Amino acid sequence: MIKIAGAGLAGLTTAYELLQRGAEVTLFDSGSGPGSTSVARYAGGMLAPFCEGESAEEEVITLGSRASEWWAKITAVHRRGTLVVAPPRDRAELTRFARRTRGHQLLTHAEIAELEPALSGRFATGLFFKEEAHLDPRRALRDLAQVITDMGGQIVYGHPAPKRVDLNCTGMAAGLPGLRPVRGEMVILRCPEIDLRRTLRLLHPRIPLYLVPRDDHHVMIGATMIESSSTRAPTLRSVHELLSAAFALHPAFGEASLVELGAGLRPAFADNLPRLIEQDGVLHLNGLYRHGFLLAPEMARRAAAKLMPQPANIFAKERNG
Amino acid sequence: MEFYGTALASRLFLGTAQYPSPKVLCEAIEVSGTEVITVSLRRETSEGVGTGFWHMLRQTGARILPNTAGCHTVQEAVTTAQMAREVFETDWIKLEVIGHADSLQPDVFALVEAARILSEDGFKVFPYTTEDLVVGEHLLQAGCEVLMPWGAPIGSGQGLRNPDGLRAMRAHFPNTPLVVDAGIGRPSDAAAAMELGLDAVLLNTAVAKAGDPVGMARAMAQAVTAGQTGYAADPMPRRDMAVPSTPVLGLAELI
């Protein structure tokens, strides 16, 4: 029996990988249900390795290259690419973004209109990252928890983990040396007037702004990055920036309803890359930073391989049984 | 030239925002040899100042110059400065009072007022100002012993928009440390500022948003040193016409 503390993104993905290998798995989580206390609730759910490559280490692209394939087995993954645009006065940012990323093509205004009719005539050029995808984080956490239960895994909610666990996936609560919180703030809108099909990134000199469409005309807008451990509700300044971005994208967002404001703490190490660390005989998977859905599958695979060095042998299991 | 009684070997001040990761930031600080780093204090920061990021900054060994970035009023700037003094245990403060949201141009009236309040309260104020000489004088009267004129709007990377103004400032304030703050985009901009005889350069975005921030930090440090050494070496005057660099007198007679 493998015991995991924390049923957030890292815990759930690793549990799945372990169950695949034939292990028995129990997860312990202080929350009330799938992802209820996980910072992944506030994620964008973008599977966008190439766009992230603009400011992240090359390793993020490598680790994340097969994420959408992995998630497609669990939940609905929308493989419609990412569209990157810039306001007229920040056009130089688009050139810079193109120079520092790969896997994109330059679109004309007509091609943008074809992809996203709602943006017709609003942007002269854009970058299209065809291979990228997105998912709904809360739904993905729910679906993954369900798959784990269906596979015979146990998730115990509202229960502190026992003293001795095999894998710790509790994010900031793990208190690992070198782990720091990076506060992020997000907004969810509902805007029936605008139909977006894919993730949009609006290049902005200060905040990497993105809009991710969700079901029923909902749109998630994220996200600030502040070196802070504060968990207070989003500030007016941050929300103002996020909402202005939506408004810059399309004035019809002015009539959108504000459905939710949220803030969470992303656990991150100094290089913003995730780590598998062994401390006092416990394996830790932590530091997914702002790349949770992108990097968790591959990190989970590696964690599972450490916890179960030999892939489960069906015959051995039968003999034992 | 000393900055409030502190001699600094490196004349490059580095901002700490917008780097791809703290690891890259710390490497940039290290290769640049900078001895002064600016940090922006916000309410969120003061709540979480015990966390990893601030610990990493302290470990670089560089002196921390907190700033009041994003403050638009005297009261905001003064409160932020007082918070920063407590949190970072330093009486140095880079005073920014923004007057215009789009150009981030300083509100020089509020700046002078905030500088006076903070100086009386014992702060060592580094005011972010324009190249206006009269404002500079008012800042000195308010208690400032350093002036930080802008090169160009914050984050614009335009370089020195008014070199003549900066030159005039040097001439007018020969004994006041002058730091070009904001607008530097390329190493040549940093070198140009130092060649004008200014005492230091403060920059952030030019390094943080470069494709290779560590490489750019090194280049900026080299540029600052080159400009500073060049100014001290008293450059030759400009001329309108060519002057041959080989002697004309005593040319070999070929027959």
Side-chain angles (χ1 to χ4, degrees), chain B residues 13-53:
Chain B
F13 298 4
L14 216 49
T16 55
Q18 303 191 61
Y19 287 77
S21 69
K23 179 170 167 258
V24 172
L25 163 61
C26 290
E27 280 172 27
I29 291 171
E30 170 143 19
V31 304
S32 70
T34 187
E35 293 167 70
V36 178
I37 53 176
T38 64
V39 302
S40 157
L41 188 92
R42 300 207 282 182
R43 207 167 295 275
E44 290 93 342
T45 319
S46 66
E47 284 170 28
V49 84
T51 61
F53 181 69

Side-chain angles (χ1 to χ4, degrees), chain A residues 181 227-230, chain B residues 39-58 64 83-84 86-88:
Chain A
E227 298 284 349
S228 165
S229 58
S230 169
Chain B
V39 302
S40 157
L41 188 92
R42 300 207 282 182
R43 207 167 295 275
E44 290 93 342
T45 319
S46 66
E47 284 170 28
V49 84
T51 61
F53 181 69
W54 306 100
H55 181 67
M56 274 181 251
L57 287 187
R58 285 205 181 91
I64 288 181
M83 228 154 70
E86 224 165 274
V87 167
F88 296 108

